[in-house]
Amino acid sequence: MPLPSVTRSLSAKLLVLTVLFVLLAEVLIYTPSIARYRLTYLEERLAAAHLAALSVEATPDMMVAMELQNELLAHVGAHAVELIRPDSRVYMLSRSMPPTVDAVFDLRGAMAPRLTADAFMALAQRRDRVIRVIGPSPKDPAFQVDMVMDERPMIQAMVDFSGRILALSVAISLIAAVLVFVSLTRLLVRPMRRLTEGLVAIRRDPDGTPPFQPSARTDEIGVAERELADMQATIRSALRQRERLAALGTAVAKINHDLRAILSTAALLSERLAESADPEVRRVTPRLMASIDRAVELCGQTMTYTRDGLLPLARTAVPLRPLVEEAGTTALAALRPDVVRPDVVRPDGERVELRWNNRVPEGLTVRADAAQLSRALVNLGRNAAQAGAGAVTVMVETRPGGGLLLLVSDDGPGLPPRARDNLFQPFAGSARAGGVGLGLAIAREVLRAHGGDLRLVESTAAGTVFALELPPGIVVEEAGRVGEMPTSDSPIPD
């Protein structure tokens, strides 16, 4: 898969996002700033009006010539000024014909939301208004200033301020974006690109790609680089092991074919020994035949396990009770192919009365692969019998969402510690001497292929219980006594 282009790369996205986020931050800063700028502008006009009005006090008769008033008002930028002293004396400056006031703004006790709203309303004005501004004098809060002025000069000053803010915001955004872009590119994007290129190369040629060399970083990127290097080494080792196992499997298949033929001949000859007149020969013959059976079983299970790979499922609507019944018959027959009756001969040569108790109710139909599900049950039943159980019981419980729980329990001596530690490991989890440990591994693969799982519920001296979990939606039909089945919502312990 090719790497993304520059315009669609992580670097470009980081650059654009940085610019947008800085601009957003500037917008959030601009909102109170423009309100504060308008307030400062008005306070400066009030301060200038205060000083201009004090000129009235300097005249002998408290009267200012009209020409001087006009000059003072032009300096302030107002049409009229009224200054109220703490002793209630009023000083006034006014043009001969002041204009009509369009709006009044009282700055006494004005809060931030109101000031912000007034600022944006002023920016939105399209006509020239005359406004009246009332507020305490910045020179002395004890004095109150009442001033009439044109709003347009203030709006123009606010627009100029906004333009400066915008230019500054763009400059800050670009500078911040470049700095963040350079920093993140060196700290994050380049290492991520290197990791991505390494992953793509490993996917294309897992065995031929040169080893990935992690950096000395101790942060998350460094951990990812070291994990990728370890993963590559693990994959390469697994591929080489797979090649060796494939070659070994081919050789084993050839050996297995010849060995089965040899064992079949040995089995035929061993049956003749059972008819010998020598009591000692007749005594050891069952053990000899059991050993040959175990060798044949080892060959058959090994070939089945290595041949299966991913289990292909042929799901059909299967009545569950007949399937369990047939699995019990097959499990008994699997102990000795020539004996199909409750009184069977175990591989150790002893005869036992094995009972298969099928407690699955009638009328329960599931959508599953009948052959594979039966195979899992056969493996569990055969393992129980070979471990010394006299009875195997199969029960069923409903699960939330339409799932099922098949419980396979026996009255055997329980699993030894070694078998529990390697329970589902092929060639390692056998509970008996000479076993290959493939029965449970295959059974678990069958359940997982169906979307469920196989778990050990308990194993004590009184017996062992396995749970075959079937996923929700597997039940096709329930009838008769199915509604009387127990329901379990508790999870099966690991």
Side-chain angles (χ1 to χ4, degrees), residues 29-72:
I29 295 174
Y30 171 77
T31 299
S33 297
I34 192 64
R36 182 63 190 174
Y37 180 83
R38 176 179 176 275
L39 177 62
T40 302
Y41 182 92
L42 294 177
E43 287 178 343
E44 290 176 353
R45 301 282 79 74
L46 292 176
H50 182 181
L51 295 177
L54 289 178
S55 63
V56 177
E57 191 175 21
T59 60
D61 54 356
M62 304 293 289
M63 295 293 293
V64 180
M66 185 58 66
E67 292 182 2
L68 180 58
Q69 287 192 51
N70 290 336
E71 290 181 7
L72 292 173

Side-chain angles (χ1 to χ4, degrees), residues 244-420:
R244 292 193 294 267
L245 289 176
L248 180 62
T250 302
V252 169
K254 296 178 181 179
I255 296 173
N256 180 75
H257 180 271
D258 296 337
L259 184 59
R260 287 175 67 91
I262 297 172
L263 291 174
S264 298
T265 303
L268 291 175
L269 295 176
S270 299
E271 292 178 356
R272 295 289 186 90
L273 294 177
E275 302 173 359
S276 174
D278 190 338
E280 183 64 20
V281 172
R282 290 198 304 271
R283 186 181 67 83
V284 301
T285 295
R287 294 184 179 180
L288 175 60
M289 297 183 68
S291 299
I292 294 175
D293 287 344
R294 285 198 300 271
V296 173
E297 177 189 2
L298 172 59
C299 294
Q301 288 192 358
T302 301
M303 289 304 299
T304 300
Y305 183 77
T306 55
R307 184 180 61 247
D308 280 347
L310 294 176
L311 293 176
L313 298 183
R315 297 177 184 265
T316 57
V318 181
L320 192 56
R321 181 178 175 84
L323 184 144
V324 173
E325 193 67 34
E326 182 181 356
T329 303
T330 306
L332 298 182
L335 297 178
R336 278 296 304 276
D338 57 336
V339 180
V340 185
R341 59 178 185 271
D343 183 17
V344 300
V345 179
R346 290 201 321 226
D348 57 7
E350 298 183 7
R351 304 183 73 84
V352 295
E353 176 101 10
L354 181 63
R355 299 183 306 280
W356 183 270
N357 300 321
N358 184 3
R359 296 185 182 177
V360 176
E362 295 281 359
L364 179 59
T365 302
V366 297
R367 186 167 185 80
D369 188 312
Q372 298 290 0
L373 189 57
S374 175
R375 179 183 180 188
L377 291 169
V378 168
N379 286 352
L380 290 172
R382 183 176 55 191
N383 285 354
Q386 291 173 344
V392 177
T393 302
V394 181
M395 299 181 296
V396 65
E397 293 181 0
T398 59
R399 303 288 285 175
L404 286 179
L405 196 67
L406 282 173
L407 297 175
V408 179
S409 59
D410 63 63
D411 59 355
L415 297 172
R418 175 181 174 276
R420 296 185 191 181

Side-chain angles (χ1 to χ4, degrees), residues 414-429:
L415 297 172
R418 175 181 174 276
R420 296 185 191 181
D421 295 338
N422 305 281
L423 193 59
F424 299 106
Q425 296 298 320
F427 307 103

Side-chain angles (χ1 to χ4, degrees), residues 106-350:
D106 192 345
L107 303 183
R108 295 170 296 183
M111 304 299 291
R114 182 61 187 174
L115 293 173
T116 303
D118 290 341
F120 282 98
M121 288 178 62
L123 288 173
Q125 284 295 325
R126 292 294 178 266
R127 64 188 183 92
D128 296 334
R129 295 192 306 178
V130 176
I131 60 173
R132 178 186 176 191
V133 182
I134 305 171
S137 172
K139 299 295 183 180
D140 188 348
F143 288 78
Q144 178 179 308
V145 181
D146 191 334
M147 178 179 61
V148 177
M149 58 178 285
D150 291 326
E151 189 181 31
R152 180 55 54 186
M154 181 188 69
I155 294 176
Q156 186 60 46
M158 293 171 65
V159 171
D160 294 341
F161 173 78
S162 301
R164 294 193 298 271
I165 289 291
L166 177 61
L168 181 62
S169 300
V170 172
I172 293 176
S173 300
L174 293 176
I175 294 173
V178 170
L179 293 176
V180 171
F181 173 76
V182 172
S183 301
L184 290 180
T185 298
R186 297 189 62 181
L187 294 176
L188 182 62
V189 176
R190 287 182 182 175
M192 287 296 296
R193 184 181 294 118
R194 183 167 173 263
L195 282 172
T196 303
E197 291 173 350
L199 287 170
V200 172
I202 292 173
R203 183 189 65 83
R204 289 176 177 172
D205 189 3
D207 196 26
T209 303
F212 183 85
Q213 298 298 329
S215 64
R217 296 176 58 161
T218 58
D219 55 8
E220 291 82 355
I221 295 293
V223 173
E225 290 176 343
R226 288 188 289 274
E227 289 296 325
L228 177 59
D230 293 343
M231 183 187 71
Q232 183 184 17
T234 302
I235 292 175
R236 182 169 297 178
S237 175
L239 289 174
R240 292 176 180 174
Q241 184 178 9
R242 187 181 67 175
E243 292 177 358
R244 292 193 294 267
L245 289 176
L248 180 62
T250 302
V252 169
K254 296 178 181 179
I255 296 173
N256 180 75
H257 180 271
D258 296 337
L259 184 59
R260 287 175 67 91
I262 297 172
L263 291 174
S264 298
T265 303
L268 291 175
L269 295 176
S270 299
E271 292 178 356
R272 295 289 186 90
L273 294 177
E275 302 173 359
S276 174
D278 190 338
E280 183 64 20
V281 172
R282 290 198 304 271
R283 186 181 67 83
V284 301
T285 295
R287 294 184 179 180
L288 175 60
M289 297 183 68
S291 299
I292 294 175
D293 287 344
R294 285 198 300 271
V296 173
E297 177 189 2
L298 172 59
C299 294
Q301 288 192 358
T302 301
M303 289 304 299
T304 300
Y305 183 77
T306 55
R307 184 180 61 247
D308 280 347
L310 294 176
L311 293 176
L313 298 183
R315 297 177 184 265
T316 57
V318 181
L320 192 56
R321 181 178 175 84
L323 184 144
V324 173
E325 193 67 34
E326 182 181 356
T329 303
T330 306
L332 298 182
L335 297 178
R336 278 296 304 276
D338 57 336
V339 180
V340 185
R341 59 178 185 271
D343 183 17
V344 300
V345 179
R346 290 201 321 226
D348 57 7
E350 298 183 7

